[in-house]
Amino acid sequence: MKKDHFTLPICLLLLVTLSSNWLRPPVVDRQETPKMMYGDQSRLGRPYAKDPHVVKFKGRYLMYFSIPAYTDSSGVKHGWGIGVAQSRNLIDWEKIGEIPPVADYEKAGICAPGALLKDGKVHLFYQTYGGGPKDAICHAWSDDGIHFTRNATNPIFRPTGSWNCGRAIDAEVYRFKNQYFLYFATRDPAYKKQLLGVAVTPLTTSFNRDEWQQLSTEGPILKPELPWEGECIEGASIIERKGELVMFYAGAYNNWPQQIGIARSKDGLHWERMQSDPFLRNGAPGSWNASESGHPHIFEDDDRQTYLFYQGNNDKGRTWLLSNEKLRWKGTRPILP
């Protein structure tokens, strides 16, 4: 009997312990799963959204992103376009429109949008796509953030100089020291390496073609030099911190893997890297961004909180998803969570 009285409580204790473990929800490592995960399935039937750029306009967040070329059910081919999504919290996004190519110079496609607010309007800077060395930066504006009027002088910018091929893509326009700085990616004359350049225009600008002055006349402001950057630096995104510019840039071509680096400048023209290794790497094997963490966009909210948007995938580009990371800062240096 003594043995039976001793065994029963032990059995009950084991049963309660095991039951509590079965009922307890699994532990989720939230560092491994970004809060935001967006992919546009409207064109290909699978998630495919690239090149994010976000503004806050009339009480909501608007995200502009590239959507791929496709052939519709009638056999009509459509070039690359720009999607528009809205959000109230920077996590959940709803697609509300598209900006398709409509002008003759856009007929092969448009993509890689960059946006800013000026005079109560959204100003969109984007590139033509499919023209190789002839691709250039274009401009349009909107009162509602969805329907845009093209600049009559489009394309508004192509670079000059013997160091590049005349192509301009991945526009980023940022206000700094009483000017607007236009950062762009181009290629060397051999069309092998992707490089960064910059032009400026006054604050009174209409962003017309004849109002831009190229500053990078003798060579690129940043070129691939580190092993992880491969043969490409592109997708510059800029923010000012304590009077200094900080650039987030994409190193290496898509899925090499592309990863994100950081650089800084006091004048917008001369840049130095802030570290020799990637700031944001591609993910571990099996993770959603195992193939790439690329094409960054740094967004500063009204409360000065900053979010690093970027694209990623784990299947070498069959799909593309957009996500973000909320950053902290130590002086002028960004810090990942």
Side-chain angles (χ1 to χ4, degrees):
M1 293 295 294
K2 185 176 181 181
K3 180 179 180 181
D4 290 340
H5 284 300
F6 177 77
T7 304
L8 183 59
I10 295 295
C11 293
L12 288 174
L13 179 62
L14 288 173
L15 181 60
V16 170
T17 302
L18 290 173
S19 298
S20 64
N21 286 334
W22 292 334
L23 294 173
R24 185 180 296 125
V27 176
V28 178
D29 185 353
R30 300 193 183 280
Q31 296 292 333
E32 293 296 323
T33 306
K35 292 182 180 180
M36 173 193 167
M37 198 69 67
Y38 178 81
D40 181 358
Q41 303 192 45
S42 63
R43 290 195 163 195
L44 301 182
R46 61 180 185 269
Y48 204 108
K50 298 185 68 178
D51 314 327
H53 197 109
V54 175
V55 296
K56 190 172 185 180
F57 185 61
K58 296 185 178 180
R60 62 179 175 176
Y61 302 102
L62 295 177
M63 180 171 66
Y64 302 93
F65 54 93
S66 301
I67 46 179
Y70 76 109
T71 302
D72 65 24
S73 58
S74 301
V76 178
K77 294 182 179 180
H78 300 264
W80 279 75
I82 295 171
V84 187
Q86 69 175 1
S87 174
R88 299 290 179 180
N89 58 12
L90 295 174
I91 300 171
D92 306 299
W93 295 88
E94 173 193 10
K95 187 177 179 183
I96 56 174
E98 290 188 7
I99 308 169
V102 294
D104 287 342
Y105 53 83
E106 301 173 346
K107 60 184 178 182
I110 59 175
C111 61
L116 63 81
L117 305 183
K118 182 178 184 290
D119 302 328
K121 302 179 187 297
V122 178
H123 290 261
L124 192 71
F125 302 87
Y126 59 95
Q127 69 174 75
T128 57
Y129 185 82
K134 296 182 179 180
D135 285 333
I137 303 300
C138 299
H139 166 243
W141 66 88
S142 172
D143 292 314
D144 62 7
I146 304 172
H147 306 93
F148 284 82
T149 301
R150 264 66 170 181
N151 189 316
T153 69
N154 275 343
I156 60 165
F157 183 79
R158 286 191 179 96
T160 59
S162 60
W163 63 273
N164 68 80
C165 69
R167 187 189 200 210
I169 63 171
D170 291 355
E172 167 84 345
V173 180
Y174 193 82
R175 179 174 174 168
F176 180 63
K177 291 188 174 180
N178 296 317
Q179 296 183 100
Y180 286 103
F181 284 70
L182 166 60
Y183 293 92
F184 62 91
T186 186
R187 292 201 185 187
D188 64 4
Y191 208 72
K192 183 179 181 182
K193 291 186 176 182
Q194 200 99 297
L195 319 164
L196 292 183
V198 65
V200 294
T201 189
L203 292 184
T204 56
T205 183
S206 297
F207 301 119
N208 291 343
R209 184 190 306 169
D210 61 358
E211 297 172 349
W212 293 98
Q213 176 191 359
Q214 184 176 329
L215 297 183
S216 51
T217 56
E218 302 302 318
I221 62 170
L222 211 60
K223 62 182 179 181
E225 296 176 332
L226 301 174
W228 70 269
E229 295 170 346
E231 298 179 337
C232 169
I233 285 184
E234 63 182 12
S237 187
I238 310 295
I239 189 172
E240 182 179 356
R241 303 296 290 188
K242 299 183 181 298
E244 184 173 280
L245 292 182
V246 177
M247 175 195 293
F248 297 80
Y249 67 88
Y253 286 115
N254 283 161
N255 301 310
W256 278 35
Q258 188 169 100
Q259 300 174 98
I260 296 171
I262 50 176
R264 62 187 171 195
S265 173
K266 293 180 186 260
D267 62 4
L269 175 60
H270 302 94
W271 291 84
E272 64 176 0
R273 289 168 176 82
M274 299 178 73
Q275 58 188 55
S276 59
D277 55 333
F279 174 73
L280 179 61
R281 298 177 179 274
N282 66 308
S287 60
W288 76 272
N289 58 336
S291 295
E292 152 162 340
S293 295
H295 204 102
H297 165 60
I298 184 68
F299 169 69
E300 184 174 19
D301 207 348
D302 293 340
D303 58 4
R304 299 214 66 197
Q305 296 293 325
T306 53
Y307 302 81
L308 181 61
F309 287 78
Y310 61 103
Q311 65 187 31
N313 73 87
N314 61 8
D315 51 18
K316 298 297 183 181
R318 184 178 182 275
T319 61
W320 289 94
L321 295 169
L322 304 178
S323 189
N324 66 43
E325 299 283 352
K326 186 177 181 179
L327 302 184
R328 295 185 296 108
W329 293 81
K330 186 175 182 179
T332 60
R333 177 172 289 276
I335 301 171
L336 283 167

